[in-house]
Amino acid sequence: MTEIKGLYRLSPEQRRAVLKGNFPDVFIESDTQLTETTADAMIENYFQNYSLPMGIAPNFQINGQLYHIPMVIEEPSVVAAASNGAKRVGNIITTSQPRELIGQIILKEVIDPEQATAVIEKKEHYLLDLAKSFSINMVKRGGGPTRIWTKTFESYFTVYLGFNPCDAMGANAINHVLEALSEEIEQLVNGVALMRILSNYQPESLVTAKVKIPILSLANNQADSQLLAQNIVAASEYAHLDVYRATTHNKGIMNGIDAVLMATGNDWRAVSAGVHAYASHTGDYQSLTDWKIEEDYLVGKIKLPLAVATVGGTLSVHPQAKQSLALLGNPDAQQLSEIIAAVGLAQNFAALRALVSEGIQKGHMSLHARQLAIQAGANEAEAPRLIELLKRQEKTISISVATELLAKMRQNR
C-alpha cells in the first residue's frame, strides 16, 4: 500500500482505479449491489435499497501504519475534513482496553437487597460457570462471561454480567445468556425479573488516540502557529464548560466515527449512545477530546468507549461492509476500534482548526455549490461553470440563487 495524493482532483472512475492499484485483491466496482435476497434477510418488510455515498479518507498514519479509511456519510466536507486532519496531525498513537459488554438482569420485589447481594457474591463462581455453559462457542473462542456484580436502585435490584464478545458485536450472545441465567437469579434473590438486556454503555472498554503536532507546522510563521495552537486549546477548554458547545463539538467527532461505523457495517446507534453517555460520566456533558500545549507541541487526545465488531451480523452478509474491512486490512475488533478513534481525533482537529481560523463555512461551500447545481437542474456541461459562479457569490447561496444563475447562463449562450 502506498500514499494516495490528489484524490479529490480525480473522477470517481479514476479513484476506483487508484484503489484497485493499492488493493488488488479487493473487489471494487462503481456500484456494489446489496441483493434483494440479502436485504430481505436483514430487515422486516423490505421493499427496496436506500443508497448512501461511500468515500475514502486517504493517508492516515496510525501506530506507524498507513491506512486509507472508507467512510459512508451524506454530509458534505466530512471526508475532506478527515483527510485534511490526517495530513496535518501525523502519526496517531492508539491504545485500547479489553472489550467487555455489560448485561443486566433487572429484578423487582426483592425484599432484602443486602442479603441478595451477599448471596450473589457467595455464588459468583457458580453463576459464572453456569453463564459460561450457556455460551460454549464464545468461551471456546476465548470470550464469554467474565464477572458478575450487583447494584440496587430504589425498589430495583440489578445483577450485572460482564461478557467478552471477542470480535463479534455480541448482543445476541449476551442476551441469550442473560435470559438463560435469569431463572436461577430469581430463585437465589427471591425476586421477579423485569428485564434481561445488554447495555450499550461500556465505560470499562475505552479506546484512546493521541497526537503530538509541532506547533510550527500549524501555519506559515511562528506567530500565527502559536496563536492557532492557543485558540485550539481555548476551544477545547470551552467545550468542557458549555453543554451547548460540547454537544456540537462531539457531534463533529461522531461525523467521522459514524461514517466508518456505517462503512464497516457496525451498529452506529449503539456506539453513539454509549459514547454520549460516556461524555456525561463526570455528571456534566463534556468534550470527548482534550487539546493542550506541551513545550513546542500541540497535544490532542480522545478517550471513548467503542464497541465494534468485525465478524457476524451485518458484517457477514453486506458486500460493502466486507469490502470496507478488506480495505482496512481485515482488522480484528480491537484494531478497528483504534482506527475509528484515530478518525474521530483527526476529525476534531480539522473542525477546531477551521472554527478558530477561517470558519467552518469556507470548507462547506464547494460541496454545497455542487449539490445546488444538481438541484437547480444543471446538466453535465453546465455544472462546472455554475459551481464556479456560486462559489464567487458574496451573499449566501441557495437553490433560488443557483436557479437564477443557471437561467442567466442559458440566456447568454
Side-chain angles (χ1 to χ4, degrees):
M1 189 190 307
T2 59
E3 278 197 21
I4 298 176
K5 297 183 179 180
L7 201 60
Y8 65 95
R9 299 190 186 97
L10 305 180
S11 68
E13 183 178 357
Q14 290 170 324
R15 291 172 192 143
R16 287 191 290 274
V18 170
L19 289 175
K20 287 177 182 178
N22 271 267
F23 303 97
D25 297 328
V26 180
F27 181 73
I28 298 171
E29 293 298 324
S30 61
D31 189 10
T32 304
Q33 289 292 329
L34 181 64
T35 67
E36 189 164 287
T37 300
T38 299
D40 192 41
M42 289 173 66
I43 65 167
E44 303 80 12
N45 301 334
Y46 165 80
F47 72 98
Q48 66 179 20
N49 293 330
Y50 180 98
S51 296
L52 286 171
M54 175 181 273
I56 198 90
N59 307 326
F60 268 76
Q61 286 285 341
I62 305 172
N63 298 325
Q65 185 171 342
L66 182 66
Y67 289 92
H68 304 310
I69 313 288
M71 303 176 76
V72 171
I73 193 166
E74 84 298 341
E75 183 173 336
S77 299
V78 171
V79 178
S83 303
N84 183 266
K87 178 181 178 181
R88 292 180 181 277
V89 302
N91 189 36
I92 305 171
I93 303 299
T94 64
T95 57
S96 57
Q97 296 173 324
R99 288 191 65 204
E100 184 183 51
L101 294 180
I102 306 297
Q104 297 174 286
I105 300 174
I106 303 166
L107 301 108
K108 59 181 183 177
E109 301 177 18
V110 176
I111 298 173
D112 191 340
E114 288 187 13
Q115 183 181 7
T117 297
V119 170
I120 296 299
E121 289 177 351
K122 183 178 180 180
K123 295 282 189 178
E124 179 182 3
H125 294 298
Y126 161 72
L127 290 171
L128 271 177
D129 287 341
L130 183 60
K132 290 175 182 178
S133 73
F134 300 132
S135 185
I136 292 173
N137 288 334
M138 193 67 75
V139 171
K140 287 180 178 178
R141 292 197 290 270
T146 55
R147 60 189 177 119
I148 290 176
W149 70 103
T150 67
K151 196 168 183 178
T152 301
F153 299 89
E154 297 181 353
S155 60
Y156 300 99
F157 182 79
T158 303
V159 176
Y160 293 87
L161 176 72
F163 190 91
N164 176 3
C166 298
D167 290 323
M169 182 60 72
N172 290 334
I174 190 173
N175 285 338
H176 170 73
V177 173
L178 293 169
E179 292 178 1
L181 194 63
S182 176
E183 184 177 349
E184 184 71 15
I185 296 289
E186 286 178 301
Q187 292 178 7
L188 286 174
V189 304
N190 194 24
V192 177
L194 175 67
M195 289 183 285
R196 315 149 191 89
I197 188 68
L198 87 159
S199 170
N200 292 125
Y201 186 42
Q202 294 150 40
E204 303 301 322
S205 303
L206 297 175
V207 185
T208 302
K210 187 174 181 179
V211 291
K212 288 182 66 175
I213 309 168
I215 291 175
L216 287 178
S217 70
L218 295 175
N220 294 326
N221 59 67
Q222 184 174 355
D224 288 347
S225 295
Q226 196 69 37
L227 179 60
L228 185 55
Q230 291 168 351
N231 285 342
I232 289 173
V233 170
S236 172
E237 290 175 349
Y238 187 76
H240 285 278
L241 302 173
D242 183 350
V243 66
Y244 287 92
R245 174 60 202 142
T247 302
T248 309
H249 178 99
N250 290 344
K251 186 271 181 183
I253 293 169
M254 297 308 293
N255 277 345
I257 288 175
D258 283 345
V260 185
L261 292 170
M262 287 279 287
T264 56
N266 272 277
D267 188 346
W268 57 270
R269 300 160 303 277
V271 172
S272 292
V275 167
H276 290 298
Y278 181 74
S280 302
H281 76 279
T282 61
D284 295 309
Y285 187 88
Q286 296 189 353
S287 164
L288 293 163
T289 57
D290 284 293
W291 292 90
K292 297 177 181 179
I293 292 175
E294 296 181 2
E295 297 180 345
D296 297 325
Y297 293 91
L298 176 65
V299 178
K301 184 172 77 171
I302 189 170
K303 181 186 287 187
L304 71 174
L306 287 171
V308 300
T310 54
V311 298
T314 300
L315 300 164
S316 63
V317 296
H318 197 292
Q320 284 170 302
K322 291 190 285 187
Q323 172 187 278
S324 293
L325 290 171
L327 291 173
L328 293 172
N330 291 309
D332 61 26
Q334 183 174 343
Q335 290 170 326
L336 179 60
S337 70
E338 293 181 9
I339 290 168
I340 293 171
V343 173
L345 185 59
Q347 198 84 39
N348 183 241
F349 171 79
L352 291 182
R353 187 181 189 281
L355 282 167
V356 301
S357 52
E358 73 269 15
I360 206 73
Q361 283 304 102
K362 182 178 179 181
H364 282 279
M365 281 304 100
S366 178
L367 284 169
H368 186 43
R370 285 162 57 183
Q371 290 182 340
L372 288 174
I374 294 170
Q375 292 177 43
N379 60 37
E380 191 173 335
E382 296 168 329
R385 175 60 178 162
L386 178 55
I387 291 167
E388 190 60 36
L389 290 173
L390 286 167
K391 288 161 67 174
R392 292 179 187 175
Q393 295 298 300
E394 293 183 3
K395 59 184 178 180
T396 302
I397 59 175
S398 63
I399 184 61
S400 60
V401 173
T403 303
E404 181 182 339
L405 288 172
L406 180 59
K408 288 181 180 179
M409 280 174 51
R410 290 172 173 173
Q411 288 175 1
N412 294 332
R413 277 193 302 209

